Amino acid sequence: MESQADSLACEQKEKHRTVLDLVKELISKAKNLQPDCVHDPKDPSSNSSECGAKERVSAFLDIAENLIDGAKENFSTCDEARDIPKVIRLPEKPIDCSEILENGEGKSGEYVIWPRNRILNDLQLKVYCDMDTDGGGWTVI
């Protein structure tokens, strides 16, 4: 049986892996925003130093992405270490009925959700969840 300290350590590892995934996604988006540089010696308006700076930024983003991949390869999850199937831990405060359905609740009825927006600011909201129509997970307000 897993101790509470082991459970907390595993949860922390999963959080770190999630952060690495998010950072890699952000790096990928930043790379897509980098404009391509075309060196044209005939065009006097082309700025080779500006192009060089953009290429260096792009190279740094590639290096960062590779470092994250390396970190993830050497960062075992708790489930891999124990050779058991990975259990997905969903939020304790679901934002909608689809998350409630993913948490294993399959019966239609009233549930409490925590929509994330500026108006409700982490306040709870009682809604009806339709778990029968088209596979379920429908939030009815």
Side-chain angles (χ1 to χ4, degrees):
M1 186 170 199
E2 190 175 298
S3 73
Q4 186 175 9
D6 289 340
S7 177
L8 290 174
C10 285
E11 189 174 315
Q12 197 67 16
K13 277 186 174 184
E14 291 302 318
K15 286 179 182 177
H16 290 150
R17 285 185 62 86
T18 301
V19 169
L20 287 172
D21 288 336
L22 289 172
V23 170
K24 185 173 177 184
E25 184 179 330
L26 291 172
I27 289 171
S28 178
K29 288 181 180 182
K31 282 173 51 177
N32 291 335
L33 293 173
Q34 283 293 322
D36 292 332
C37 280
V38 179
H39 296 288
D40 186 3
K42 295 177 187 174
D43 181 8
S45 66
S46 71
N47 187 343
S48 63
S49 64
E50 184 179 317
C51 246
K54 289 177 183 177
E55 288 172 350
R56 280 191 302 277
V57 168
S58 184
F60 289 140
L61 291 172
D62 286 337
I63 291 168
E65 199 170 39
N66 290 335
L67 288 170
I68 289 172
D69 286 337
K72 283 181 63 178
E73 286 174 11
N74 294 314
F75 196 91
S76 66
T77 64
C78 294
D79 296 332
E80 289 170 354
R82 289 180 278 164
D83 289 329
I84 59 172
K86 185 175 179 176
V87 175
I88 298 172
R89 293 189 178 105
L90 295 171
E92 292 178 19
K93 294 182 175 183
I95 63 169
D96 59 21
C97 292
S98 66
E99 284 190 358
I100 292 172
L101 181 65
E102 290 174 10
N103 275 329
E105 295 292 336
K107 185 176 177 186
S108 293
E110 286 188 355
Y111 291 90
V112 175
I113 62 171
W114 287 262
R116 291 183 187 93
N117 64 47
R118 291 173 287 176
I119 297 168
L120 293 177
N121 196 20
D122 202 35
L123 295 176
Q124 65 185 16
L125 179 66
K126 190 181 281 191
V127 297
Y128 180 84
C129 292
D130 178 352
M131 302 300 194
D132 301 313
T133 306
D134 284 335
W138 296 97
T139 305
V140 182
I141 299 175

